Amino acid sequence: MNLVRYVVLMFLMLTLASVIVSAQAQLEVQWATYLGGSGKDQMRDLCVDRDDNVYVCGVFTSTDFPKPRNVPTSFDTIGPGGYLASFSPTGEMRWLQYFSCVRPLELAISDAGVLVMVGSIANQCGNVDATVSTFTTLGERFARDQFLGGSEADVATSVDIVGNTIYVGGVTESRDFPTTANAMQASYQGGGLAGQGIGDGFVAKLSLVQSASGWQIVPDVVTYFGGRYLDEVLVVRAKYGLGSVYVGGRTRSDKLPGSIYIQDRLGTTFDDDGFIAKLDASSLVCQWSMFCGGIGNEVVHGLQPVPVTEFPSGTQSMKLRVCGTYNGSYFPFPGQPSTPAPYLGGSLFGGDAFYFEIDERFGVMSLLRNISTSVDDIATALPRDAGGLTGPLLFSNGTIEQSIPSVGFDAYLWNATIPTNATTKVSVFQGNADEITLESEQIRFGFGGNDTGPNSSYICGTTTSTAMPGTNAPGPVFQRISGGDRDGVLVKIGCGASTTKILASDSVLCASGDSVTLTLQPTPANVVWGDGNAASTRVVTAAGTYRVKYAVGGCEFTDSVVIRTGVLPSVKLTPADTVVICDTSSVLLAITGSNIERVGWSTGEVTRDTTLRVRTPGRYSAIVYSPDGCSVTTDTVTVVNAGSGAGNRLVLKIGNKDSVRVGDTLRLVLRWDVPPGTALESLPLDWSARLRFDRYLFFPVRPLSRGVTDDSLRTIVVSGRRKITSDTLGIVLLHVALGETDTTGITVDSLLFDPCGGLSQERSIGVRIAGVCEAGGSKRFVTSQSSRPLVTVASNPVGTDGAVAVAEGEGMSEASGRIINVIGQEVPVEVLARTSESAEWAIPSWLPTGRYVFVVQSPTGLTSTIFEVVR
């Protein structure tokens, strides 16, 4: 024998020999509520979600049972039938709904909040089939119900859920039960001789699958489980199984699937043995199975897989906790037939309670416990949460400890895992009658349940007590008075962990004048801080440990928070302001400074590296933390991709409100039509564009860039820098002069980005200039203002002797004249003569060959003419 295994077995023999019950105390109760009417009503199971809300299920016969509430999809409104309900951590009913044809037995809830209920169809509603139903935490249907059944009776007794996978165990008498093609046992084997009973267990793996019509429950693997005689799967647990599913129950078969583990069959096939088995979580193929029992009748009611992390390797192994009931004979603990637990007595439906643990590292029992009185002691369920309560829910109508004599069936929490001196402890929940009622259906399944949430622990069952601890607790307890014959009962036990937390706006005072706000949420009662402050919210300006005492639900709690001093980092982010990159380039952002421990970049990356390589446009910053937790936020660097404008359409627009007239300044707006979702910060800033227009009609108002002249069109290059928050590239100002036509156009034939290259685009916009009339035998454009002066240039074109420009109209005594060349530069001119109605200016003889605009501005208007210099 392996030496380690031998040492463990020797220790267990000594442990078993000293099993006694050493202590008993009244269970600490926060509140309790009945759920029932004047008839026979049961609460069969519960589970707890991550918000400490509790969900209960059961059956009722009372016509005055509490009515459905707060579930819009609940269609059944009369009983008798099954029910599903939820209570808050304070005892208030959140919702309740009926099921006229379903008889629930067990509940489970996923980490995502999918609630699963299993049971069977009532016989008055048709064939007794196993049912699987799913709900949200608000009680609304989640997926279409799944039915598992053949031509005979089928019952789903237990359920667990891991992610979107549901594991169901149960009992079937159907030879045509709907197993799947990949089933480990596809055929029924449960027919026995007289007295051996009939029926097979079954195990199913189901998936929650979303489709176009909603969520559905889809069978992946459905298999019989058992031997050639009676088998019942009564408990299924997978959530903490590390890739395995554990099942348990009762059997009369002489052989079960899988290899024998620790113990083979000791009794006869006319007696019940408890059993447990380990299945692969994917295929449901049995990896091992074992019997629990001797020559009496035994049943496994509770399983709890508990992952154990090995140190220092970090590998995980499994400890399996098992509880149940034995009747009629001593109980040989698996692997320890020579040191059995004594049997002291019980009714046909009860017996004595056992508890043991299996350490899968060594394949041995690591802890053995029993409770035996002269009447019934029934261990019914272990909590689902491996980190929750350590022991099973126990019901007994015997006197376990003389200090608290039994007054009927009482509920106990049995903390059987305390290793010191191999003792075991129980805590009692005791009313003035029975906290469990025994009948043929309940003894097989559905005594009650226990489970633990993040901060709350609950037990439930069925009671005939008319006075119970906790029903007079303060708060919104739902039903404080017994409904009658038999009621469901839900009990919140212990003070547990407080839901109230100290919320601190910060944990560090980083600079002079800093403060931290401390808030207790949710707000408790009787708040007293260590310095005597009684406020639930306070502001502190000094470092130190702040302790508080408060009350919640009759329980007193203490808590504390540490506020430290710190120093802010000193940082600078470079390069500053805006950085332009091209499609294939990048830029390195760097933080320099002192007292830097880590950097949280705006990209979501948290690192000790103070540099970040950026290849995409956007706005970048960082939160820089010091070693003591102080933080500062850097300035923002904007990264622009100057090569990313190809997908944006250039739009031209005339910015003038009215039509353009001779002498106006035309505002040509260049902007992008940016596709939805495009960040303006990601677009190029520096741009240049090539414009083409009629050289006789338009001249730049101010110098832009040297233009190229052909016979009728001239081309100039304009450039600018876009505001980062605007889709407008820029505005080009052109002066409207005299010409031979009133319709023309302006064209952009290329758009370039600096420094990344160009984008070939051609966009044009039409321009119409107001009215034409005859003046001095020549066509001239005029405006609606008749007072505007008329200007002409004598000797046009101008030769080597120069020329005279003459203007006639109102206000000539105050008029000014100027010459503008093709690139927008002004040439000063000399006044030759002036009256109130006319003025003359000298056109210099030194002007280079080319075209010019002579502009006259008077108090009443602006006019111009084009002239040409020829050499």
Side-chain angles (χ1 to χ4, degrees), residues 268-291:
T268 72
T269 57
F270 291 91
D271 300 318
D272 292 335
D273 254 15
F275 76 87
I276 54 178
K278 179 180 181 179
L279 314 181
D280 178 79
S282 178
S283 64
L284 299 187
V285 171
C286 188
Q287 298 173 343
W288 56 254
S289 61
M290 60 178 282
F291 294 90

Side-chain angles (χ1 to χ4, degrees), residues 47 69 249 418 472 490 507 513 621 643 782 836:
C47 64
R69 64 191 65 192
I418 300 175
N472 61 345
L490 174 65
S507 61
S621 62
V782 297
S836 62

Side-chain angles (χ1 to χ4, degrees), residues 398-410:
T399 300
I400 296 178
E401 178 76 14
Q402 291 297 325
S403 61
I404 306 180
S406 172
V407 293
F409 267 105
D410 296 327

Side-chain angles (χ1 to χ4, degrees), residues 323-344:
C323 72
T325 305
Y326 60 101
N327 190 304
S329 179
Y330 64 86
F331 180 73
F333 280 102
Q336 300 293 316
S338 61
T339 55
Y343 173 69
L344 296 185

Side-chain angles (χ1 to χ4, degrees), residues 44 58-60 74-84 97-105 117-133 135 141 145-147 154-156 441:
R44 291 178 164 177
V59 296
F60 69 97
S74 177
F75 302 110
D76 298 330
T77 57
I78 59 173
Y83 69 84
L84 177 65
Q97 60 180 307
Y98 288 177
F99 308 98
S100 60
C101 285
V102 176
R103 300 297 181 262
L105 280 173
M117 180 182 77
V118 297
S120 62
I121 295 292
N123 54 16
Q124 67 265 29
C125 298
N127 288 339
V128 179
D129 288 339
T131 64
V132 183
S133 305
F135 306 86
R141 293 281 184 170
D145 290 357
Q146 178 68 41
F147 301 95
D154 316 285
V155 179
E441 182 180 5

